[in-house]
Amino acid sequence: MASSCVQQLCRRSTSHLRSKTSCVTLLYSTHVQNHVAGVRTADKTNAGGDLIIHGNHSIFHTSQRRQQVGVCYYSGYNASPLLPTEHRDTKELMSTDALSQIKDAQHLTETNARLETDEAVYPSASEEITDKGASHTMVSSTLPSESSSLRDYVDESETLSKLVQLGVKLWKLEQRPNVGTMLLKLDFQTDVVPRLLFLKEMGVEDSGLAYILSDNPFILKEDLENLHARVNYLKSQKFSPETVASMVTRAPYLLNFSVKRLDNRLAFYQQQLGLNSSKTRGIVARLPRLLCGSLEPVKETLRVCKIELGFKENEIQHMVMLIPKLLTSNKRKLTQIFDYLHNTMKVQHHLIVKFPQVFNSRLLRIKERHLFLDYLGTAQYDSDQPNYISLDRLASLPDEAFCTEVASATLEDFIMFQKTM
C-alpha cells in the first residue's frame, strides 16, 4: 500500500489550476519612425523547452515565445501597462498622421512576421482576442528563458516541485548531462506517479524513494512492464520481497537492466566462484551492485587473488562470502596490503583467509599499528604462539581501544610514536 506521503502527492497532482486571461494590453510607443524602422520579428524557441548542456554546466531553455511587433508588446497573464503613468494617455493625444504611421507600420510588421514565421496572424489593436488566441501570445513573466539551475523552475514545474517534496536532490541531478531536459519534460501524473507507486508496492520506504530517484532518475523513463518483469525474475530466483526492495534501494540502477543481463550476472558469479545458488544469492543480496557494474574488474580481482597472491579456490570462496566487497577491491590496494601482511609482518595465508576484513582497512593504519607493536615488542601474529594478536583486532578496533586492549599502552603514547614516523 502506498504511504500517505505518496498518496497525498498523487491527489494533489490531479487538481490543475486554469487561469483565464481577461485581456491583452496593446501599448504603442510615441516614438514610431517611418514605416517599419526598428521592427523585430518574433523570436523562435524550441516548442518543447530544451536543456542545453555544456560540460558540467546545464542551461535550461523554456518554451516561451516573446512576440514583438514594432515596439508593441503582448504582455503576460493579466498584463499591466508597460509605460509610465504620464504616458498612458498618449494614444488620445496622437495626431491623425501619427496614428496613420503606426497603423502602416503595424500592417507591414504583421505581413513580415507571417512570411518569416509559421505563426498565426497577429490580431489588430481593435480586434478582441479569444482565450485560445491569447494562449499563443502570453508568456509567464516569472519563468526565466534560461538558467543554470533547476531551482529556478521548481515553482513552475509540478514534477520538480513534487520531487522536491519527496526529498529528491535536484542539485545533484542538474549536474548530470541530459537529466535536466528529461525532468522538465516529464509529466508528474503519467510518468512519475505510476513508478512511485510501483516502488512503494515493492516495499521501498519513503526515504528510499528519494535516494533512488536522486541517484537514478532514469527509472522514471523505464517501461512499467519491464520493471515488473525484472522484479518477478529476482523473486523467481528465490530472493524474498524484502530482499529485493533492499537490493533496489542500495543499488538504484538494478532495475534498469534487462532480465537477460541479470540472469547472466548471477550465472557468472556462481560459475566463477564455484558456489551453489544459495551462497551466490547471499553474496549478491549483501552487495547488489555486483549485478550493475562491469565484470572486468571482478575478473581481474579473482585473477590477482589466485595467481599473484597465491590463494586457493576454496580460500577465495571463504573470503568473498565473508567480505563480498573484496570482489570490487582496487587491485593495487589489494596487492599492497597483502605484500605488507605476508612479507613484512610474516602473516600466513590461512590467517589472512580467516580475517579478510583486513583488506578493507587502510595500509597506513596497518603499518602504524604494526610498527608500534613491534616497538613495544608485542607484534605476535602466529595463532600457535602466546600473546597472539588477530588481524581483526589489529585493523578494526578504534585507536583508543587498540592502545588499551591490544598494545597495553596509552593513546598519548601511540600519538607520540606516530609523530616519529
Side-chain angles (χ1 to χ4, degrees):
M1 181 180 293
S3 70
S4 58
C5 173
V6 175
Q7 290 176 345
Q8 185 177 5
L9 288 178
C10 296
R11 287 197 299 270
R12 271 193 262 168
S13 67
T14 59
S15 61
H16 300 282
L17 298 178
R18 296 182 178 178
S19 59
K20 185 176 182 180
T21 306
S22 60
C23 65
V24 177
T25 305
L26 184 62
L27 301 175
Y28 292 90
S29 169
T30 59
H31 302 288
V32 177
Q33 303 299 324
N34 290 333
H35 300 295
V36 294
V39 174
R40 292 184 297 176
T41 57
D43 296 332
K44 291 184 178 180
T45 60
N46 268 337
D50 292 332
L51 164 67
I52 301 177
I53 297 178
H54 303 281
N56 292 328
H57 300 284
S58 303
I59 301 178
F60 307 96
H61 293 273
T62 63
S63 58
Q64 300 179 0
R65 182 180 293 109
R66 180 180 297 124
Q67 297 168 332
Q68 302 178 0
V69 183
V71 285
C72 306
Y73 294 84
Y74 292 95
S75 62
Y77 298 96
N78 297 325
S80 58
L82 300 179
L83 296 178
T85 305
E86 58 269 20
H87 296 300
R88 292 178 185 173
D89 297 330
T90 303
K91 184 177 180 180
E92 287 76 14
L93 300 178
M94 287 182 177
S95 65
T96 304
D97 292 339
L99 286 174
S100 177
Q101 291 176 0
I102 291 173
K103 291 180 180 179
D104 290 341
Q106 179 189 0
H107 174 71
L108 291 173
T109 301
E110 292 172 352
T111 302
N112 290 338
R114 289 197 299 271
L115 292 175
E116 296 182 19
T117 68
D118 293 329
E119 301 297 331
V121 178
Y122 299 137
S124 65
S126 61
E127 181 181 352
E128 182 179 356
I129 300 178
T130 64
D131 292 342
K132 182 177 180 181
S135 65
H136 291 288
T137 62
M138 288 182 294
V139 176
S140 174
S141 60
T142 60
L143 193 63
S145 59
E146 64 179 38
S147 175
S148 60
S149 174
L150 286 173
R151 176 180 56 188
D152 297 329
Y153 297 90
V154 171
D155 292 337
E156 300 293 333
S157 169
E158 181 189 22
T159 298
L160 294 183
S161 63
K162 295 297 174 60
L163 291 179
V164 169
Q165 292 178 38
L166 281 173
V168 177
K169 299 177 181 178
L170 294 185
W171 62 267
K172 182 178 179 181
L173 296 179
E174 68 186 15
Q175 298 173 6
R176 301 169 61 181
N178 302 322
V179 173
T181 297
M182 183 192 73
L183 292 178
L184 286 172
K185 291 181 178 179
L186 289 178
D187 180 82
F188 184 76
Q189 189 63 226
T190 59
D191 297 323
V192 181
V193 170
R195 285 151 186 84
L196 290 178
L197 293 176
F198 164 78
L199 292 172
K200 286 297 298 178
E201 292 170 357
M202 199 178 68
V204 177
E205 299 294 334
D206 287 349
S207 58
L209 293 176
Y211 177 78
I212 291 173
L213 296 183
S214 296
D215 195 65
N216 176 26
F218 302 105
I219 197 172
L220 297 176
K221 298 291 289 183
E222 288 289 331
D223 185 79
L224 279 173
E225 292 186 5
N226 291 336
L227 293 176
H228 281 288
R230 292 158 193 173
V231 170
N232 291 336
Y233 167 76
L234 292 174
K235 292 179 179 179
S236 72
Q237 297 300 308
K238 298 184 180 180
F239 289 98
S240 67
E242 296 78 14
T243 300
V244 173
S246 175
M247 290 169 63
V248 172
T249 302
R250 289 179 290 126
Y253 278 92
L254 181 62
L255 295 184
N256 285 52
F257 300 114
S258 66
V259 170
K260 182 178 180 180
R261 173 170 172 147
L262 295 176
D263 186 65
N264 289 338
R265 293 301 173 90
L266 287 173
F268 167 81
Y269 289 110
Q270 184 171 355
Q271 294 171 3
Q272 291 292 316
L273 297 174
L275 300 173
N276 57 35
S277 58
S278 176
K279 292 180 179 179
T280 303
R281 281 197 305 272
I283 293 174
V284 172
R286 293 175 60 190
L287 193 66
R289 60 188 176 93
L290 287 174
L291 298 178
C292 304
S294 172
L295 296 180
E296 292 305 316
V298 176
K299 294 178 181 178
E300 182 66 13
T301 297
L302 292 175
R303 187 192 68 80
V304 168
C305 289
K306 186 174 182 179
I307 299 177
E308 297 186 21
L309 307 186
F311 289 106
K312 300 177 182 178
E313 183 175 347
N314 64 324
E315 292 176 332
I316 296 175
Q317 292 175 350
H318 181 79
M319 290 191 296
V320 169
M321 289 177 61
L322 288 177
I323 308 294
K325 190 179 177 181
L326 183 66
L327 290 172
T328 60
S329 295
N330 178 271
K331 173 186 174 182
R332 184 166 177 263
K333 177 184 177 182
L334 199 64
T335 54
Q336 286 180 341
I337 291 179
F338 175 83
D339 179 68
Y340 193 81
L341 292 173
H342 187 65
N343 297 321
T344 301
M345 296 171 57
K346 307 302 180 183
V347 181
Q348 300 301 312
H349 278 77
H350 72 278
L351 292 177
I352 298 177
V353 171
K354 190 176 180 181
F355 302 105
Q357 297 90 340
V358 70
F359 288 112
N360 288 338
S361 185
R362 293 180 294 110
L363 178 60
L364 179 60
R365 182 188 183 99
I366 297 173
K367 282 184 177 181
E368 289 177 341
R369 295 188 174 190
H370 166 69
L371 292 175
F372 184 58
L373 293 175
D374 188 59
Y375 171 76
L376 297 175
T378 58
Q380 175 56 260
Y381 310 109
D382 188 347
S383 58
D384 296 330
Q385 300 297 323
N387 300 322
Y388 160 68
I389 298 174
S390 69
L391 295 180
D392 182 42
R393 289 167 61 82
L394 175 74
S396 303
L397 290 177
D399 283 346
E400 187 172 358
F402 165 75
C403 292
T404 56
E405 299 177 19
V406 177
S408 300
T410 64
L411 180 61
E412 290 75 14
D413 292 337
F414 183 49
I415 294 174
M416 290 297 296
F417 177 80
Q418 288 176 311
K419 294 179 179 180
T420 65
M421 293 181 63

